[in-house]
Amino acid sequence: MSLSALLPSTSGPRSASAPAAVPESPVAASYARLAEVFPGLRVRELAEGEAAPHGDGWVRADELGAGGPALDAFLAWDEEQTLRDYGAAARPDVIASFGLHRYAWPACLLVTVPWFLHRRVPRVPAADVAFHRELGRMAVCVREFACLPGDPAAALPGARVVPDEEALRAEVRAAVAEHLAPVLEGFGPRMRRRGRALWGMATDEVVEGIWYVAGLLGEEPRAMAELELLLPRTAKPYVGPAGFRELTAPDGRTFPTRDRASCCLFYTLRPEDTCVTCPRTCDADRLRKLSTAPGA
């Protein structure tokens, strides 16, 4: 399934140093940069004590995790969209898989974009995040974040200084897991998946979200290298490594790819149009799709 079907440069070790002055928010610059390169998703930070928006198209992540009426309404949107776009009804577990993907992909960016751009890792518990899928908006209250020694943001309330890059990567893994664990509990029964299968999907959302955004930022190679370090094979509860590899076309051009740890089940609607990173897609088909994509 393409990204367009799913959703209405600074720093790293190489390119981005911490800002010279202490910002009002440790993540504001990161979310602003995300909106610049990907206008389909905008993040608003909530003030201390401000409740996450609710109703009128907004849904909180903890409501999705509860698995009740809020999740029913969320998945009804996917069911209607599938009928409209593909002219066919999908199985309930397929609809739930689409719905989780459409939530988790942007939700992971709340953590991974500040990490990638400014080496800051916010904690975003499910109760502090809301999503408006039709507008492509997220609202989040950042109460706590991790950063490296020497970051001016270490003087801000809620800062926790960690000693090095590996410790910061551990914070990324923990922050994403803290947010997604209750969400997976809500979606799991609808998807008929448990444990490893759900966390395989979470692994793919972490990797493919920041990989895509880094491409928009012109930093795809750095993102791939950092994702390999972020997700080694042993990083539980995540499933498998980032797993990038390179394909070479007959004309000598090379293209990065990876094999997803999970399947979004889009093939059940369009068997001939599997995702380019789907394990069901052979390398010959991947090369055909990659080499004929716009801008290839």
Side-chain angles (χ1 to χ4, degrees):
M1 189 186 305
S2 68
L3 179 65
S4 60
L6 301 178
L7 295 169
S9 166
T10 55
S11 151
R14 177 179 58 80
S15 63
S17 56
V22 176
E24 292 184 2
S25 158
V27 294
S30 298
Y31 294 156
R33 184 73 176 115
L34 172 62
E36 287 176 6
V37 298
F38 186 42
L41 177 64
R42 294 181 182 271
V43 181
R44 180 172 75 88
E45 288 188 75
L46 302 171
E48 182 64 33
E50 181 183 2
H54 173 76
D56 195 24
W58 288 94
V59 62
R60 291 197 318 267
D62 60 344
E63 293 179 298
L64 296 177
L71 182 56
D72 291 337
F74 190 83
L75 295 179
W77 192 97
D78 291 280
E79 189 169 14
E80 293 168 4
Q81 181 267 336
T82 299
L83 280 169
R84 182 179 67 250
D85 290 359
Y86 305 114
R91 301 189 322 240
D93 61 311
V94 174
I95 292 295
S97 294
F98 289 178
L100 176 60
H101 179 48
R102 287 165 173 150
Y103 175 76
W105 193 95
C108 288
L109 295 175
L110 295 175
V111 176
T112 57
V113 166
W115 164 69
F116 185 71
L117 288 178
H118 293 106
R119 287 307 193 255
R120 295 168 188 164
V121 180
R123 288 288 179 140
V124 289
D128 289 341
V129 175
F131 182 43
H132 197 303
R133 64 187 307 165
E134 292 187 57
L135 297 179
R137 301 291 185 265
M138 301 199 86
V140 59
C141 181
V142 176
R143 308 173 194 276
E144 180 183 349
F145 68 99
C147 62
L148 293 171
D151 187 334
L156 292 174
R160 283 187 306 104
V161 178
V162 297
D164 54 31
E165 291 281 355
E166 178 50 38
L168 200 65
R169 287 190 284 269
E171 291 287 337
V172 175
R173 295 188 290 266
V176 172
E178 176 187 42
H179 181 82
L180 286 185
V183 177
L184 297 181
E185 285 292 322
F187 276 90
R190 312 291 186 98
M191 296 167 61
R192 300 189 298 185
R193 299 187 191 185
R194 293 291 187 274
R196 181 179 174 84
L198 289 173
W199 283 104
M201 196 163 183
T203 303
D204 291 328
E205 307 305 350
V206 171
V207 175
E208 300 199 355
I210 197 64
W211 182 23
Y212 177 82
V213 170
L216 300 178
L217 291 163
E219 296 207 59
E220 183 183 34
R222 180 166 77 86
M224 292 166 61
E226 294 200 17
L227 284 165
E228 293 285 5
L229 294 173
L230 178 67
L231 290 171
R233 191 173 296 276
T234 56
K236 304 299 181 184
Y238 304 98
V239 177
F244 290 106
R245 57 194 179 90
E246 192 173 81
L247 298 177
T248 303
D251 61 6
R253 287 182 296 165
T254 59
F255 300 91
T257 191
R258 65 181 294 268
D259 294 318
R260 290 176 56 91
S262 67
C263 180
C264 70
L265 303 180
F266 184 65
Y267 77 91
T268 62
L269 287 173
R270 296 282 179 85
E272 74 287 353
D273 192 22
T274 55
C275 307
V276 73
T277 55
C278 179
R280 294 172 173 269
T281 306
C282 69
D283 284 355
D285 285 344
R286 292 183 190 216
L287 279 171
R288 176 180 53 79
K289 293 179 179 184
L290 291 167
S291 61
T292 58

